[in-house]
Amino acid sequence: MNNLIIDAANDKIFFMIIADNKSYTSEFINNRENFDKLTTLIVKFLENHHLSLKNLSNIFVNQGPGKFSGIRASIATAKALSLVNKIDLYGFNSEQIFDENYAEIIDLFNKGVLIKNLIKPYY
């Protein structure tokens, strides 16, 4: 199972792939230029790790609280990628991440805490 985590609620845009006991991360400056090419950044990030959108099982996106523009851009992009590629989409909150331990999101998913396709932005 390949999972993509997107978090643009803070000072950096953060991507993480968690797949079969392996994880890969990448960070970008949280600015308008990167929001405009967010999909391209995601696709290149996946390609750098020999994956494509079709290889993903789930997308997890931070719905806030945090920076308005980052949350709005990442949720819109995650929803579009989810719909077009038929990938399950889940939202999580900034408070559910402790010490940047994004693997906790997978634990919350496995426990059934995260609800599929229920994305409510918290600005």
Side-chain angles (χ1 to χ4, degrees):
M1 183 179 291
N2 298 322
N3 301 291
L4 173 64
I5 298 172
I6 304 169
D7 185 353
N10 299 307
D11 292 330
K12 296 193 179 201
I13 298 171
F14 178 83
F15 300 142
M16 180 177 218
I17 298 169
I18 298 178
D20 302 324
N21 298 324
K22 295 180 184 177
S23 65
Y24 310 99
T25 62
S26 189
E27 292 182 351
F28 301 91
I29 297 170
N30 193 340
N31 63 21
R32 182 183 170 104
E33 180 182 324
N34 285 334
F35 296 150
D36 291 343
K37 60 182 182 179
L38 196 56
T39 302
T40 304
L41 292 174
I42 291 169
V43 170
K44 284 183 181 180
F45 172 64
L46 292 170
E47 287 174 353
N48 288 341
H49 300 290
H50 310 290
L51 292 170
S52 72
L53 290 167
K54 299 200 182 305
N55 299 119
L56 295 179
S57 304
N58 302 300
I59 298 174
F60 300 93
V61 63
N62 189 341
Q63 49 194 10
K67 294 187 174 197
F68 175 81
S69 296
I71 293 168
R72 185 184 61 171
S74 61
I75 288 176
T77 301
K79 281 185 176 183
L81 294 174
S82 170
L83 287 170
V84 169
N85 296 287
K86 297 181 175 129
I87 303 168
D88 292 337
L89 177 65
Y90 297 88
F92 65 92
N93 298 326
S94 296
E95 292 92 16
Q96 293 172 310
I97 303 298
F98 300 103
D99 296 326
E100 297 183 11
N101 181 11
Y102 288 88
E104 181 67 24
I105 298 303
I106 304 304
D107 291 338
L108 293 172
F109 167 72
N110 291 332
K111 292 176 184 176
V113 173
L114 304 178
I115 301 171
K116 182 178 173 183
N117 296 327
L118 180 63
I119 308 297
K120 293 183 177 181
Y122 301 106
Y123 304 111

